[in-house]
Amino acid sequence: MKILKTISELRSELNRYNQKNLRIGFVPTMGALHEGHLSLVKQSVSENFVTVVSVFVNPTQFNDKKDLERYPRDLEKDCKLLKPVGCNLVFAPSVDEMYPEPDTRRFDFGELETVMEGAHRPGHFNGVGQIVSKLFDIVQPNRAYFGLKDFQQLAIIRKLVKDYHYPVEIVPCAIVRESDGLAMSSRNMLLTEEHRNAAPFIYHTLNKLQELTINSTTAAKEFIRKQFAENKFLDLEYFEIVDDENLQPVDFIEKNRTYSACIAVFAGKIRLIDNVQLNS
Ligand code: PAF
């Protein structure tokens, strides 16, 4: 496994594979890797000739400076996890390498970015568009792997690929959970012990909702609000039921469509997101 810090180093490595038309799989990450990331890497390794993992905490997608500062970073540990699962190339550039000039590009993701993460984290998806488009231009992968925990991000990236005609197949990968149900996230390691113990409540509450088979969003929202009002460690930021096709919030859940119930919660200072499918 090679660790490359510059675009030119990575390009010259990748040229060898491009010339032979060998399939390149790509897993973009912000490091602080966990089993969720590794499951994407393993899938890429099994489906492509070479797997590139980028490790880059992208400043332009953070709307909260404190969140950027406290985001966990440990490249050495990440590389120790990546090698045994078969990653071939780790691309770990500096901020100056990726942004020699401020990126002034503005992406328009239409209605996809007006809700949930887009509404609560202004500029976040523009930053995701900036970095993912740069990474796609540099790596030129055949396939790129994204986790379904960031459900809205996946929809944004699919739109980016469609709008800019990137010749890359986007592969969605299932959410990987801890044994107590908490969705794996790099942010979990920042939780205090009491918040970590409280956090599985998020998934358990979404599971309860699935079992209730409520078909009105107002009733579902009221159910979720009441559950979190009784939990002193977790603060609900938003809960939405959205149509899987266009990510727009719906009033009613119809039988023959699939929806996702998406949630963002503060566990102390740490913001966690999760989602489950309804009607799947
Ligand atoms: O999902 C993430 O970790 C990031 O948003 C991504 C896709 C690596 C872009 O920085």
Side-chain angles (χ1 to χ4, degrees), residues 54 66 98 102 120 145 176-178 194 208 216 246 258:
S54 63
K66 290 237 164 66
M98 292 309 286
H120 287 86
Y145 297 77
V176 179
R177 298 183 180 278
E178 301 287 354
E194 58 187 12
K208 274 194 203 160
S216 134
N246 55 19
T258 56

Side-chain angles (χ1 to χ4, degrees), residues 23-42:
R23 291 201 151 261
I24 298 172
F26 177 45
V27 183
T29 82
M30 297 206 298
L33 303 181
H34 49 68
E35 279 302 323
H37 296 111
L38 299 182
S39 73
L40 312 190
V41 179
K42 285 178 198 164

Side-chain angles (χ1 to χ4, degrees), residues 28-30 58 61 128 131-132 146 150 153:
T29 82
M30 297 206 298
N58 172 38
Q61 71 188 73
V128 170
I131 192 65
V132 172
F146 292 88
D150 296 299
Q153 170 171 278

Side-chain angles (χ1 to χ4, degrees), residues 37-180:
H37 296 111
L38 299 182
S39 73
L40 312 190
V41 179
K42 285 178 198 164
Q43 191 169 339
S44 172
V45 169
S46 73
E47 294 177 351
N48 302 283
F49 188 83
V50 60
T51 290
V52 182
V53 176
S54 63
V55 175
F56 179 68
V57 181
N58 172 38
T60 73
Q61 71 188 73
F62 285 80
N63 59 317
D64 174 354
K65 223 174 138 221
K66 290 237 164 66
D67 190 22
L68 173 62
E69 277 164 17
R70 74 164 87 92
Y71 201 87
R73 295 160 170 90
D74 191 342
L75 181 61
E76 209 181 304
K77 189 169 164 212
D78 290 341
C79 291
K80 281 198 181 127
L81 294 170
L82 287 171
K83 201 172 167 193
V85 292
C87 168
N88 305 95
L89 304 174
V90 179
F91 179 48
S94 66
V95 173
D96 284 346
E97 182 72 6
M98 292 309 286
Y99 295 104
E101 299 289 333
D103 193 337
T104 53
R105 292 174 301 158
R106 292 286 167 264
F107 292 85
D108 180 0
F109 297 113
E111 62 181 6
L112 290 179
E113 64 182 331
T114 58
V115 291
M116 304 191 290
E117 296 301 287
H120 287 86
R121 302 181 67 188
H124 168 65
F125 285 127
N126 197 59
V128 170
Q130 289 176 339
I131 192 65
V132 172
S133 62
K134 276 177 186 268
L135 290 168
F136 281 175
D137 288 334
I138 296 164
V139 179
Q140 299 184 13
N142 299 90
R143 296 194 183 98
Y145 297 77
F146 292 88
L148 274 160
K149 183 172 77 68
D150 296 299
F151 176 71
Q152 192 174 7
Q153 170 171 278
L154 183 67
I156 292 279
I157 289 176
R158 284 199 160 119
K159 181 156 170 58
L160 178 83
V161 165
K162 199 168 166 212
D163 288 354
Y164 292 85
H165 308 282
Y166 281 110
V168 53
E169 179 191 342
I170 300 300
V171 185
C173 301
I175 299 178
V176 179
R177 298 183 180 278
E178 301 287 354
S179 56
D180 58 13

Side-chain angles (χ1 to χ4, degrees), residues 143-264:
R143 296 194 183 98
Y145 297 77
F146 292 88
L148 274 160
K149 183 172 77 68
D150 296 299
F151 176 71
Q152 192 174 7
Q153 170 171 278
L154 183 67
I156 292 279
I157 289 176
R158 284 199 160 119
K159 181 156 170 58
L160 178 83
V161 165
K162 199 168 166 212
D163 288 354
Y164 292 85
H165 308 282
Y166 281 110
V168 53
E169 179 191 342
I170 300 300
V171 185
C173 301
I175 299 178
V176 179
R177 298 183 180 278
E178 301 287 354
S179 56
D180 58 13
L182 177 64
M184 287 197 183
S185 162
S186 304
R187 289 189 165 88
N188 292 354
M189 65 176 79
L190 301 173
L191 294 167
T192 63
E193 198 182 332
E194 58 187 12
H195 288 118
R196 173 64 189 83
N197 291 337
F201 181 83
I202 302 169
Y203 180 53
H204 296 159
T205 308
L206 292 176
N207 276 169
K208 274 194 203 160
L209 179 82
Q210 280 176 309
E211 283 159 21
L212 287 177
T213 59
I214 294 174
N215 64 3
S216 134
T217 303
T218 314
K221 282 191 169 174
E222 189 51 18
F223 168 77
I224 296 286
R225 194 193 60 74
K226 278 195 180 143
Q227 296 288 312
F228 280 90
E230 283 166 20
N231 190 312
K232 64 177 181 179
F233 294 111
L234 304 174
D235 291 315
L236 180 66
E237 186 184 39
Y238 70 72
F239 169 77
E240 291 290 355
I241 295 183
V242 297
D243 189 308
D244 279 355
E245 289 291 308
N246 55 19
L247 260 61
Q248 294 310 290
V250 293
D251 289 333
F252 292 100
I253 299 166
E254 292 167 28
K255 284 234 155 56
N256 298 324
R257 294 182 76 85
T258 56
Y259 302 91
S260 289
C262 303
I263 196 164

